[in-house]
Coordinates of all heavy atoms in Angstrom, one line a residue:
M5 N 39.5 -82.1 -23.4 CA 40.3 -83.2 -23.8 C 40.1 -83.5 -25.3 O 40.9 -84.2 -25.8 CB 39.9 -84.4 -23.0 CG 40.3 -84.3 -21.5 SD 42.1 -84.0 -21.2 CE 42.7 -85.6 -21.3
L6 N 39.1 -82.9 -25.9 CA 38.8 -83.2 -27.3 C 40.0 -82.8 -28.2 O 40.5 -83.5 -29.0 CB 37.6 -82.5 -27.7 CG 37.2 -82.6 -29.2 CD1 37.0 -84.0 -29.7 CD2 36.1 -81.7 -29.5
F7 N 40.5 -81.5 -28.0 CA 41.6 -81.0 -28.8 C 42.9 -81.8 -28.5 O 43.6 -82.0 -29.4 CB 41.7 -79.5 -28.6 CG 40.6 -78.7 -29.2 CD1 39.7 -78.1 -28.5 CD2 40.5 -78.7 -30.6 CE1 38.6 -77.4 -29.0 CE2 39.5 -78.0 -31.2 CZ 38.5 -77.3 -30.4
F8 N 43.1 -82.1 -27.2 CA 44.3 -82.9 -26.9 C 44.3 -84.2 -27.6 O 45.3 -84.6 -28.3 CB 44.3 -83.1 -25.4 CG 45.4 -84.0 -24.9 CD1 46.7 -83.8 -25.2 CD2 45.1 -85.2 -24.2 CE1 47.7 -84.7 -24.8 CE2 46.0 -86.1 -23.8 CZ 47.3 -85.8 -24.1
S9 N 43.2 -84.9 -27.6 CA 43.1 -86.2 -28.4 C 43.3 -86.0 -29.9 O 44.0 -86.8 -30.5 CB 41.8 -86.8 -28.1 OG 41.6 -87.1 -26.8
Y10 N 42.8 -84.9 -30.4 CA 42.9 -84.6 -31.8 C 44.3 -84.3 -32.2 O 44.9 -84.8 -33.2 CB 42.0 -83.5 -32.2 CG 41.9 -83.3 -33.7 CD1 41.2 -84.2 -34.5 CD2 42.5 -82.2 -34.3 CE1 41.1 -84.0 -35.8 CE2 42.4 -82.0 -35.6 CZ 41.7 -83.0 -36.4 OH 41.6 -82.8 -37.8
F11 N 45.0 -83.5 -31.4 CA 46.4 -83.1 -31.7 C 47.3 -84.3 -31.5 O 48.3 -84.3 -32.2 CB 46.8 -81.9 -30.8 CG 46.4 -80.6 -31.3 CD1 45.4 -79.9 -30.7 CD2 47.0 -80.0 -32.4 CE1 45.0 -78.7 -31.2 CE2 46.7 -78.8 -32.9 CZ 45.7 -78.1 -32.2
K12 N 47.1 -85.2 -30.6 CA 47.9 -86.4 -30.5 C 48.0 -87.2 -31.8 O 49.0 -87.8 -32.1 CB 47.4 -87.3 -29.4 CG 47.8 -86.8 -28.0 CD 47.6 -87.8 -26.9 CE 46.4 -88.7 -27.0 NZ 46.1 -89.5 -25.9
E13 N 46.9 -87.2 -32.6 CA 46.9 -87.9 -33.8 C 47.7 -87.2 -34.9 O 48.0 -87.8 -35.9 CB 45.4 -88.1 -34.3 CG 44.7 -89.0 -33.2 CD 43.5 -89.6 -33.8 OE1 43.3 -89.6 -35.0 OE2 42.7 -90.1 -33.0
L14 N 48.0 -85.9 -34.7 CA 48.8 -85.2 -35.7 C 50.3 -85.2 -35.5 O 51.0 -84.6 -36.2 CB 48.3 -83.7 -35.7 CG 46.9 -83.5 -36.2 CD1 46.5 -82.0 -36.0 CD2 46.7 -83.9 -37.6
V15 N 50.7 -86.0 -34.4 CA 52.2 -86.1 -34.2 C 52.9 -86.6 -35.4 O 52.4 -87.6 -36.0 CB 52.4 -86.9 -32.9 CG1 53.9 -87.3 -32.8 CG2 51.9 -86.3 -31.7
G16 N 54.0 -86.0 -35.8 CA 54.7 -86.4 -37.0 C 54.3 -85.6 -38.2 O 55.0 -85.7 -39.2
K17 N 53.3 -84.8 -38.2 CA 52.9 -84.0 -39.3 C 53.3 -82.6 -39.2 O 53.6 -82.1 -38.1 CB 51.3 -84.1 -39.5 CG 50.9 -85.5 -39.7 CD 49.5 -85.5 -40.3 CE 49.2 -87.0 -40.5 NZ 48.0 -87.2 -41.3
E18 N 53.4 -81.9 -40.3 CA 53.8 -80.5 -40.2 C 52.7 -79.6 -39.9 O 51.6 -79.7 -40.5 CB 54.5 -80.1 -41.6 CG 55.1 -78.7 -41.5 CD 56.0 -78.4 -42.7 OE1 57.1 -79.0 -42.8 OE2 55.5 -77.6 -43.6
V19 N 52.9 -78.7 -39.0 CA 51.8 -77.7 -38.6 C 52.5 -76.3 -38.5 O 53.7 -76.2 -38.4 CB 51.2 -78.0 -37.2 CG1 50.5 -79.3 -37.3 CG2 52.2 -78.0 -36.1
T20 N 51.7 -75.3 -38.6 CA 52.1 -73.9 -38.4 C 51.4 -73.4 -37.1 O 50.2 -73.5 -37.0 CB 51.8 -73.0 -39.6 OG1 52.4 -73.6 -40.7 CG2 52.3 -71.6 -39.4
V21 N 52.2 -72.9 -36.2 CA 51.6 -72.3 -34.9 C 51.9 -70.8 -35.0 O 53.0 -70.4 -35.1 CB 52.4 -73.0 -33.7 CG1 51.8 -72.4 -32.4 CG2 52.2 -74.5 -33.7
E22 N 50.8 -70.1 -34.8 CA 50.9 -68.6 -34.7 C 50.7 -68.3 -33.2 O 49.8 -68.7 -32.6 CB 49.9 -67.9 -35.5 CG 50.1 -66.4 -35.4 CD 49.2 -65.6 -36.4 OE1 49.1 -66.0 -37.6 OE2 48.7 -64.6 -36.0
L23 N 51.7 -67.5 -32.7 CA 51.6 -67.1 -31.3 C 50.9 -65.7 -31.2 O 50.7 -65.0 -32.2 CB 53.1 -67.0 -30.8 CG 54.0 -68.2 -31.0 CD1 55.3 -68.0 -30.4 CD2 53.3 -69.4 -30.5
K24 N 50.6 -65.4 -30.0 CA 49.9 -64.2 -29.7 C 50.7 -62.9 -30.0 O 50.1 -61.8 -30.2 CB 49.4 -64.1 -28.3 CG 48.3 -65.1 -28.0 CD 47.8 -65.1 -26.6 CE 46.7 -66.1 -26.3 NZ 46.3 -66.2 -24.9
N25 N 52.0 -63.1 -30.1 CA 52.9 -61.9 -30.5 C 53.1 -61.8 -32.0 O 54.0 -61.2 -32.4 CB 54.2 -62.0 -29.7 CG 55.1 -63.2 -30.2 OD1 54.6 -64.0 -31.0 ND2 56.3 -63.3 -29.6
D26 N 52.3 -62.5 -32.8 CA 52.3 -62.5 -34.3 C 53.4 -63.4 -34.9 O 53.6 -63.4 -36.1 CB 52.4 -61.1 -34.8 CG 51.1 -60.4 -34.5 OD1 50.0 -61.0 -34.5 OD2 51.2 -59.1 -34.4
L27 N 54.3 -64.0 -34.1 CA 55.3 -64.9 -34.6 C 54.6 -66.2 -35.1 O 53.9 -66.8 -34.3 CB 56.3 -65.2 -33.5 CG 57.4 -66.2 -33.9 CD1 58.3 -65.8 -35.0 CD2 58.3 -66.5 -32.6
A28 N 54.9 -66.6 -36.3 CA 54.4 -67.9 -36.8 C 55.5 -68.8 -37.1 O 56.5 -68.5 -37.7 CB 53.6 -67.6 -38.1
I29 N 55.4 -70.0 -36.5 CA 56.5 -71.0 -36.6 C 55.9 -72.3 -37.3 O 54.9 -72.8 -36.8 CB 57.1 -71.4 -35.2 CG1 57.6 -70.1 -34.5 CG2 58.2 -72.4 -35.3 CD1 57.9 -70.3 -33.1
R30 N 56.6 -72.8 -38.3 CA 56.2 -74.0 -39.0 C 57.2 -75.1 -38.6 O 58.4 -74.9 -38.5 CB 56.2 -73.8 -40.5 CG 55.8 -75.0 -41.2 CD 55.7 -74.7 -42.7 NE 54.6 -73.8 -43.0 CZ 54.8 -72.6 -43.7 NH1 55.9 -72.3 -44.2 NH2 53.7 -71.8 -43.8
G31 N 56.7 -76.3 -38.3 CA 57.6 -77.4 -37.9 C 56.8 -78.7 -37.8 O 55.6 -78.7 -38.0
T32 N 57.5 -79.7 -37.5 CA 56.9 -81.1 -37.3 C 56.5 -81.2 -35.9 O 57.3 -81.0 -35.0 CB 58.0 -82.2 -37.7 OG1 58.4 -81.9 -39.0 CG2 57.3 -83.5 -37.6
L33 N 55.2 -81.6 -35.7 CA 54.7 -81.7 -34.4 C 55.3 -83.0 -33.7 O 55.2 -84.1 -34.2 CB 53.2 -81.9 -34.4 CG 52.5 -82.0 -33.1 CD1 52.6 -80.7 -32.2 CD2 51.0 -82.3 -33.3
H34 N 56.1 -82.7 -32.6 CA 56.8 -83.8 -31.9 C 55.9 -84.4 -30.8 O 55.8 -85.6 -30.6 CB 58.1 -83.4 -31.4 CG 58.9 -84.4 -30.7 ND1 58.8 -84.6 -29.3 CD2 59.7 -85.4 -31.2 CE1 59.6 -85.6 -29.0 NE2 60.1 -86.1 -30.1
S35 N 55.3 -83.4 -30.0 CA 54.5 -83.9 -28.9 C 53.5 -82.7 -28.5 O 53.8 -81.6 -28.9 CB 55.3 -84.3 -27.7 OG 56.1 -83.2 -27.2
V36 N 52.5 -83.1 -27.8 CA 51.5 -82.2 -27.3 C 51.0 -82.7 -25.9 O 50.9 -84.0 -25.8 CB 50.4 -81.9 -28.3 CG1 49.6 -83.1 -28.5 CG2 49.5 -80.8 -27.8
D37 N 50.7 -81.9 -25.0 CA 50.2 -82.4 -23.7 C 48.8 -81.9 -23.4 O 48.2 -81.2 -24.3 CB 51.2 -82.1 -22.5 CG 51.3 -80.6 -22.2 OD1 50.5 -79.8 -22.7 OD2 52.2 -80.2 -21.5
Q38 N 48.3 -82.2 -22.3 CA 46.9 -81.9 -22.0 C 46.6 -80.4 -21.8 O 45.5 -79.9 -21.9 CB 46.4 -82.6 -20.7 CG 47.0 -82.2 -19.4 CD 48.3 -82.9 -19.0 OE1 48.9 -83.5 -19.9 NE2 48.6 -82.9 -17.8
Y39 N 47.7 -79.6 -21.6 CA 47.6 -78.2 -21.6 C 47.8 -77.5 -23.0 O 47.8 -76.3 -23.1 CB 48.6 -77.6 -20.6 CG 48.4 -78.2 -19.2 CD1 49.3 -79.1 -18.7 CD2 47.4 -77.8 -18.4 CE1 49.2 -79.6 -17.5 CE2 47.2 -78.3 -17.1 CZ 48.1 -79.3 -16.7 OH 48.0 -79.8 -15.4
L40 N 47.9 -78.4 -24.0 CA 48.1 -78.0 -25.4 C 49.5 -77.2 -25.5 O 49.6 -76.4 -26.4 CB 47.0 -77.1 -25.9 CG 45.7 -77.9 -26.0 CD1 44.6 -77.0 -26.7 CD2 45.8 -79.2 -26.8
N41 N 50.4 -77.6 -24.6 CA 51.8 -77.2 -24.9 C 52.3 -78.0 -26.0 O 52.0 -79.2 -26.2 CB 52.7 -77.5 -23.6 CG 52.2 -76.6 -22.4 OD1 51.9 -75.5 -22.5 ND2 52.2 -77.3 -21.3
I42 N 53.1 -77.4 -26.9 CA 53.5 -78.0 -28.2 C 55.0 -78.0 -28.3 O 55.7 -77.0 -28.0 CB 52.9 -77.2 -29.4 CG1 51.4 -77.2 -29.3 CG2 53.4 -77.7 -30.7 CD1 50.7 -76.3 -30.3
K43 N 55.5 -79.2 -28.7 CA 56.9 -79.3 -29.0 C 57.1 -79.5 -30.5 O 56.5 -80.4 -31.1 CB 57.6 -80.4 -28.3 CG 59.1 -80.5 -28.6 CD 59.8 -81.5 -27.8 CE 61.3 -81.5 -28.1 NZ 62.0 -82.6 -27.5
L44 N 57.8 -78.6 -31.2 CA 58.0 -78.7 -32.6 C 59.5 -79.0 -32.9 O 60.4 -78.5 -32.2 CB 57.7 -77.4 -33.3 CG 56.2 -76.9 -33.3 CD1 56.1 -75.6 -34.0 CD2 55.3 -77.9 -34.0
E45 N 59.7 -79.8 -34.0 CA 61.1 -80.1 -34.5 C 61.2 -79.6 -35.9 O 60.2 -79.4 -36.6 CB 61.4 -81.6 -34.4 CG 61.4 -82.1 -33.0 CD 61.7 -83.6 -32.9 OE1 61.5 -84.3 -33.9 OE2 62.3 -84.0 -31.9
N46 N 62.4 -79.4 -36.3 CA 62.7 -78.9 -37.7 C 61.9 -77.6 -38.0 O 61.2 -77.5 -39.0 CB 62.4 -80.0 -38.7 CG 63.1 -81.3 -38.5 OD1 64.3 -81.3 -38.2 ND2 62.4 -82.4 -38.5
T47 N 62.0 -76.7 -37.1 CA 61.2 -75.5 -37.2 C 61.8 -74.5 -38.1 O 63.0 -74.4 -38.4 CB 61.0 -74.8 -35.8 OG1 62.3 -74.5 -35.3 CG2 60.3 -75.7 -34.9
R48 N 61.0 -73.6 -38.7 CA 61.4 -72.4 -39.4 C 60.3 -71.4 -39.2 O 59.2 -71.6 -39.1 CB 61.6 -72.8 -40.9 CG 60.5 -73.3 -41.6 CD 60.9 -73.9 -43.0 NE 59.8 -74.5 -43.7 CZ 59.3 -75.7 -43.4 NH1 59.8 -76.4 -42.4 NH2 58.3 -76.2 -44.1
V49 N 60.8 -70.1 -39.2 CA 59.9 -69.0 -39.0 C 59.2 -68.7 -40.4 O 59.9 -68.7 -41.4 CB 60.7 -67.8 -38.5 CG1 59.8 -66.6 -38.3 CG2 61.3 -68.1 -37.2
V50 N 58.0 -68.4 -40.4 CA 57.2 -68.1 -41.6 C 57.7 -66.7 -42.2 O 58.0 -66.6 -43.4 CB 55.7 -68.0 -41.3 CG1 55.0 -67.5 -42.5 CG2 55.2 -69.4 -40.9
D51 N 57.9 -65.7 -41.4 CA 58.4 -64.4 -41.8 C 59.8 -64.2 -41.3 O 60.1 -63.6 -40.3 CB 57.5 -63.3 -41.3 CG 57.8 -61.9 -41.9 OD1 58.7 -61.8 -42.7 OD2 57.1 -61.0 -41.5
Q52 N 60.8 -64.7 -42.1 CA 62.2 -64.7 -41.7 C 62.7 -63.3 -41.7 O 63.6 -63.0 -40.9 CB 63.0 -65.6 -42.6 CG 62.6 -67.0 -42.4 CD 63.4 -68.0 -43.3 OE1 64.2 -67.5 -44.1 NE2 63.1 -69.2 -43.2
D53 N 62.2 -62.4 -42.5 CA 62.8 -61.0 -42.5 C 62.4 -60.3 -41.2 O 63.2 -59.4 -40.8 CB 62.2 -60.3 -43.7 CG 62.7 -60.8 -45.0 OD1 63.8 -61.5 -45.0 OD2 62.0 -60.7 -46.0
K54 N 61.2 -60.6 -40.7 CA 60.8 -59.9 -39.5 C 61.4 -60.4 -38.2 O 61.6 -59.7 -37.2 CB 59.3 -60.0 -39.4 CG 58.6 -59.1 -38.3 CD 57.1 -59.2 -38.4 CE 56.4 -58.4 -37.3 NZ 55.0 -58.5 -37.4
Y55 N 61.8 -61.7 -38.3 CA 62.4 -62.4 -37.1 C 63.7 -63.1 -37.4 O 63.8 -64.3 -37.4 CB 61.4 -63.4 -36.5 CG 60.1 -62.9 -36.1 CD1 59.0 -62.9 -37.0 CD2 59.9 -62.2 -34.9 CE1 57.7 -62.4 -36.6 CE2 58.7 -61.7 -34.5 CZ 57.6 -61.8 -35.4 OH 56.4 -61.2 -35.0
P56 N 64.7 -62.3 -37.8 CA 66.0 -63.0 -38.3 C 66.7 -63.7 -37.1 O 67.4 -64.6 -37.4 CB 66.8 -61.8 -38.8 CG 66.2 -60.6 -38.1 CD 64.8 -60.9 -37.9
H57 N 66.5 -63.3 -35.9 CA 67.1 -63.9 -34.7 C 66.6 -65.3 -34.5 O 67.2 -66.1 -33.8 CB 66.9 -63.1 -33.5 CG 65.5 -62.8 -33.1 ND1 64.7 -61.9 -33.8 CD2 64.7 -63.4 -32.2 CE1 63.5 -61.8 -33.3 NE2 63.4 -62.7 -32.4
M58 N 65.5 -65.7 -35.2 CA 64.9 -67.0 -35.0 C 65.4 -68.0 -36.0 O 65.0 -69.2 -36.0 CB 63.4 -66.9 -35.1 CG 62.7 -66.1 -33.9 SD 62.9 -67.0 -32.4 CE 61.8 -68.4 -32.6
L59 N 66.3 -67.6 -36.9 CA 66.7 -68.5 -38.0 C 67.5 -69.7 -37.5 O 67.4 -70.8 -38.1 CB 67.6 -67.7 -39.0 CG 66.8 -66.7 -39.9 CD1 67.8 -65.9 -40.7 CD2 65.8 -67.3 -40.7
S60 N 68.2 -69.6 -36.4 CA 69.0 -70.7 -35.9 C 68.2 -71.7 -35.1 O 68.7 -72.7 -34.7 CB 70.2 -70.2 -35.1 OG 69.7 -69.5 -34.0
V61 N 67.0 -71.4 -34.7 CA 66.2 -72.2 -33.9 C 65.6 -73.4 -34.7 O 65.0 -73.2 -35.7 CB 65.0 -71.5 -33.2 CG1 64.1 -72.4 -32.4 CG2 65.5 -70.3 -32.4
R62 N 65.9 -74.6 -34.2 CA 65.5 -75.8 -35.0 C 64.4 -76.6 -34.2 O 63.7 -77.4 -34.8 CB 66.7 -76.7 -35.3 CG 67.6 -76.1 -36.3 CD 67.0 -76.0 -37.6 NE 67.6 -75.0 -38.5 CZ 67.1 -74.0 -39.0 NH1 65.8 -73.7 -38.9 NH2 67.8 -73.2 -39.8
N63 N 64.4 -76.5 -32.9 CA 63.4 -77.2 -32.1 C 62.9 -76.2 -31.1 O 63.7 -75.4 -30.6 CB 64.1 -78.4 -31.3 CG 64.7 -79.4 -32.3 OD1 64.0 -79.9 -33.2 ND2 65.9 -79.8 -32.1
C64 N 61.6 -76.3 -30.7 CA 61.1 -75.4 -29.7 C 60.0 -76.0 -29.0 O 59.3 -76.9 -29.4 CB 60.7 -74.1 -30.4 SG 59.3 -74.1 -31.5
F65 N 59.8 -75.5 -27.8 CA 58.6 -75.8 -26.9 C 57.8 -74.6 -26.8 O 58.3 -73.5 -26.5 CB 59.1 -76.2 -25.5 CG 58.0 -76.5 -24.6 CD1 57.5 -77.8 -24.5 CD2 57.6 -75.6 -23.7 CE1 56.4 -78.1 -23.6 CE2 56.6 -75.8 -22.8 CZ 56.0 -77.1 -22.8
I66 N 56.5 -74.7 -27.1 CA 55.6 -73.6 -27.0 C 54.5 -73.8 -26.0 O 53.8 -74.8 -26.0 CB 54.9 -73.4 -28.4 CG1 56.0 -73.2 -29.5 CG2 53.9 -72.2 -28.4 CD1 55.4 -73.2 -30.9
R67 N 54.5 -72.8 -25.0 CA 53.5 -72.9 -24.0 C 52.1 -72.7 -24.6 O 51.9 -71.8 -25.4 CB 53.8 -71.9 -22.9 CG 52.9 -71.9 -21.7 CD 53.2 -70.8 -20.8 NE 52.2 -70.6 -19.8 CZ 52.3 -71.0 -18.5 NH1 53.3 -71.6 -18.1 NH2 51.3 -70.8 -17.7
G68 N 51.1 -73.6 -24.2 CA 49.8 -73.5 -24.8 C 49.1 -72.2 -24.6 O 48.3 -71.8 -25.5
S69 N 49.4 -71.5 -23.6 CA 48.7 -70.2 -23.3 C 49.1 -69.1 -24.2 O 48.4 -68.0 -24.3 CB 48.9 -69.8 -21.9 OG 50.2 -69.5 -21.6
V70 N 50.2 -69.2 -25.0 CA 50.6 -68.2 -25.9 C 50.3 -68.5 -27.4 O 50.6 -67.7 -28.2 CB 52.2 -67.9 -25.8 CG1 52.5 -67.5 -24.4 CG2 53.0 -69.1 -26.3
V71 N 49.6 -69.6 -27.6 CA 49.2 -69.9 -29.0 C 47.9 -69.2 -29.3 O 46.9 -69.3 -28.6 CB 49.0 -71.5 -29.1 CG1 48.4 -71.8 -30.4 CG2 50.3 -72.2 -28.8
R72 N 47.9 -68.5 -30.5 CA 46.7 -67.9 -31.0 C 45.9 -69.0 -31.8 O 44.8 -69.1 -31.6 CB 47.1 -66.7 -31.9 CG 45.9 -66.1 -32.5 CD 46.2 -64.9 -33.4 NE 46.7 -63.8 -32.5 CZ 47.7 -63.0 -32.9 NH1 48.2 -63.0 -34.2 NH2 48.1 -62.0 -32.1
Y73 N 46.6 -69.6 -32.7 CA 46.0 -70.7 -33.5 C 47.0 -71.6 -34.1 O 48.2 -71.3 -34.2 CB 44.9 -70.3 -34.5 CG 45.5 -69.4 -35.6 CD1 46.0 -70.1 -36.8 CD2 45.4 -68.1 -35.6 CE1 46.5 -69.3 -37.8 CE2 45.9 -67.3 -36.7 CZ 46.4 -67.9 -37.7 OH 46.9 -67.2 -38.8
V74 N 46.5 -72.8 -34.5 CA 47.4 -73.8 -35.1 C 46.8 -74.1 -36.5 O 45.6 -74.5 -36.6 CB 47.5 -75.1 -34.3 CG1 48.3 -76.1 -35.0 CG2 48.0 -74.8 -32.9
M75 N 47.6 -74.0 -37.5 CA 47.1 -74.4 -38.9 C 47.5 -75.8 -39.1 O 48.7 -76.2 -39.0 CB 47.8 -73.5 -39.9 CG 47.2 -72.1 -39.9 SD 47.9 -71.0 -41.2 CE 49.4 -70.5 -40.4
L76 N 46.5 -76.6 -39.4 CA 46.7 -78.1 -39.6 C 47.0 -78.4 -41.0 O 46.5 -77.7 -41.9 CB 45.5 -78.8 -39.1 CG 45.1 -78.4 -37.6 CD1 43.7 -79.1 -37.3 CD2 46.1 -78.9 -36.7
P77 N 47.6 -79.6 -41.3 CA 47.8 -80.0 -42.7 C 46.4 -80.4 -43.3 O 45.5 -80.9 -42.6 CB 48.7 -81.2 -42.5 CG 48.5 -81.7 -41.1 CD 48.2 -80.5 -40.3
Q78 N 46.3 -80.1 -44.5 CA 45.0 -80.4 -45.2 C 44.6 -81.8 -45.1 O 43.4 -82.1 -44.8 CB 45.1 -80.0 -46.7 CG 43.8 -80.0 -47.4 CD 43.1 -78.7 -47.2 OE1 43.7 -77.7 -46.9 NE2 41.8 -78.7 -47.3
D79 N 45.5 -82.8 -45.2 CA 45.2 -84.2 -45.1 C 45.0 -84.6 -43.7 O 44.6 -85.8 -43.4 CB 46.2 -85.0 -45.8 CG 47.6 -84.9 -45.2 OD1 47.8 -83.9 -44.5 OD2 48.4 -85.8 -45.4
G80 N 45.3 -83.8 -42.7 CA 45.2 -84.2 -41.3 C 43.9 -83.9 -40.7 O 43.7 -84.3 -39.5
V81 N 43.0 -83.3 -41.4 CA 41.7 -82.9 -40.8 C 40.6 -83.9 -41.3 O 40.3 -83.9 -42.5 CB 41.4 -81.5 -41.2 CG1 40.0 -81.1 -40.6 CG2 42.5 -80.5 -40.8
D82 N 40.1 -84.7 -40.4 CA 38.9 -85.5 -40.8 C 37.7 -84.9 -40.1 O 37.5 -85.1 -38.9 CB 39.2 -87.0 -40.3 CG 38.1 -87.9 -40.8 OD1 37.0 -87.4 -41.2 OD2 38.4 -89.1 -40.8
I83 N 37.0 -84.1 -40.8 CA 35.8 -83.4 -40.3 C 34.8 -84.3 -39.6 O 34.3 -83.9 -38.6 CB 35.2 -82.5 -41.4 CG1 36.2 -81.5 -42.0 CG2 34.0 -81.8 -40.9 CD1 36.7 -80.5 -41.0
D84 N 34.5 -85.4 -40.2 CA 33.5 -86.3 -39.7 C 33.8 -86.8 -38.3 O 33.0 -86.8 -37.4 CB 33.2 -87.5 -40.6 CG 32.7 -87.0 -42.0 OD1 31.9 -86.0 -42.0 OD2 32.9 -87.7 -43.0
I85 N 35.1 -87.2 -38.1 CA 35.5 -87.7 -36.8 C 35.4 -86.6 -35.8 O 35.0 -86.8 -34.6 CB 36.9 -88.3 -36.9 CG1 36.9 -89.6 -37.7 CG2 37.5 -88.5 -35.5 CD1 38.2 -90.2 -37.9
L86 N 35.9 -85.4 -36.2 CA 35.8 -84.2 -35.3 C 34.4 -83.9 -34.9 O 34.1 -83.6 -33.7 CB 36.5 -83.0 -35.9 CG 36.9 -81.9 -35.1 CD1 37.8 -82.3 -33.9 CD2 37.6 -80.8 -35.9
H87 N 33.5 -83.9 -35.9 CA 32.1 -83.6 -35.5 C 31.5 -84.7 -34.6 O 30.8 -84.3 -33.6 CB 31.2 -83.6 -36.8 CG 31.4 -82.3 -37.6 ND1 30.9 -81.1 -37.2 CD2 31.9 -82.1 -38.8 CE1 31.2 -80.2 -38.1 NE2 31.8 -80.8 -39.1
D88 N 31.8 -85.9 -34.8 CA 31.3 -87.0 -33.9 C 31.8 -86.8 -32.5 O 31.1 -87.0 -31.5 CB 31.6 -88.4 -34.5 CG 30.9 -88.7 -35.8 OD1 29.8 -88.0 -36.0 OD2 31.3 -89.6 -36.5
A89 N 33.1 -86.6 -32.4 CA 33.7 -86.4 -31.1 C 33.1 -85.2 -30.4 O 32.9 -85.3 -29.2 CB 35.2 -86.3 -31.2
T90 N 32.9 -84.1 -31.1 CA 32.3 -82.9 -30.5 C 30.9 -83.2 -30.0 O 30.5 -82.8 -28.9 CB 32.2 -81.8 -31.5 OG1 33.6 -81.6 -32.0 CG2 31.7 -80.5 -30.9
R91 N 30.1 -84.0 -30.7 CA 28.8 -84.3 -30.3 C 28.8 -85.2 -29.0 O 28.0 -85.0 -28.1 CB 28.0 -85.0 -31.4 CG 27.6 -84.1 -32.5 CD 26.7 -84.8 -33.5 NE 26.7 -84.1 -34.8 CZ 27.4 -84.4 -35.8 NH1 28.1 -85.5 -35.9 NH2 27.4 -83.7 -36.9
R92 N 29.7 -86.2 -29.0 CA 29.8 -87.1 -27.9 C 30.2 -86.3 -26.6 O 29.7 -86.5 -25.5 CB 30.9 -88.2 -28.1 CG 30.3 -89.4 -28.9 CD 31.3 -90.5 -28.8 NE 32.6 -90.2 -29.2 CZ 33.1 -90.2 -30.5 NH1 32.3 -90.5 -31.5 NH2 34.4 -89.9 -30.7
E93 N 31.2 -85.4 -26.8 CA 31.6 -84.6 -25.6 C 30.5 -83.7 -25.1 O 30.3 -83.5 -23.9 CB 32.9 -83.8 -26.0 CG 33.5 -83.1 -24.8 CD 34.8 -82.6 -25.1 OE1 35.8 -83.4 -25.2 OE2 34.9 -81.4 -25.2
A94 N 29.7 -83.1 -26.0 CA 28.6 -82.3 -25.7 C 27.5 -83.0 -24.9 O 26.9 -82.5 -24.0 CB 28.0 -81.6 -26.9
R95 N 27.4 -84.3 -25.2 CA 26.4 -85.1 -24.5 C 26.9 -85.6 -23.2 O 26.2 -86.2 -22.4 CB 26.0 -86.3 -25.3 CG 25.0 -85.9 -26.4 CD 24.6 -87.1 -27.2 NE 25.6 -87.2 -28.2 CZ 25.7 -88.3 -29.0 NH1 24.9 -89.3 -28.9 NH2 26.6 -88.3 -30.0
G96 N 28.2 -85.4 -22.9 CA 28.8 -85.9 -21.7 C 29.3 -87.3 -21.7 O 29.6 -87.9 -20.7
G97 N 29.6 -87.9 -22.8 CA 30.0 -89.2 -22.9 C 31.0 -89.4 -23.9 O 31.8 -90.2 -24.1

């Protein structure tokens, strides 16, 4: 639940999601659920030459199991809060 809580705070910020098939999509995080399924708005493909068929896609839903990683905005990462939450979760509380 740690990552779910963290991602909920990033709603409205721009993120880049790289999928396991090497497709990277940048967009505004609209929502995320407990399975880390992600809904992006105002999307654009990072490598448009490699994926020209994706140019018309503006909103997308990404299943959490196909996500390789998510690049967060620089100002959206508060390391101290993340460390504290990780320690609390490790202790079971």
Side-chain angles (χ1 to χ4, degrees):
M5 292 303 275
L6 173 65
F7 288 107
F8 170 57
S9 300
Y10 190 73
F11 277 106
K12 282 195 319 188
E13 298 199 11
L14 293 174
V15 169
K17 299 200 177 190
E18 187 168 286
V19 297
T20 302
V21 179
E22 183 172 316
L23 308 181
K24 291 179 180 177
N25 66 356
D26 294 327
L27 173 63
I29 303 171
R30 183 175 294 128
T32 304
L33 183 63
H34 180 265
S35 63
V36 62
D37 67 11
Q38 69 268 24
Y39 302 106
L40 298 183
N41 296 319
I42 297 170
K43 182 175 180 190
L44 294 178
E45 293 182 333
N46 304 316
T47 60
R48 59 192 175 285
V49 178
V50 173
D51 188 359
Q52 296 178 358
D53 294 334
K54 190 173 179 183
Y55 301 98
H57 57 283
M58 295 291 293
L59 291 176
S60 63
V61 176
R62 293 294 161 234
N63 301 309
C64 66
F65 177 85
I66 302 170
R67 183 181 166 106
S69 64
V70 301
V71 174
R72 180 177 293 147
Y73 63 85
V74 178
M75 290 183 275
L76 306 173
Q78 192 78 27
D79 63 339
V81 180
D82 188 342
I83 299 297
D84 295 328
I85 291 174
L86 194 55
H87 283 294
D88 291 343
T90 305
R91 286 187 202 104
R92 277 194 308 274
E93 189 168 284
R95 283 182 273 171

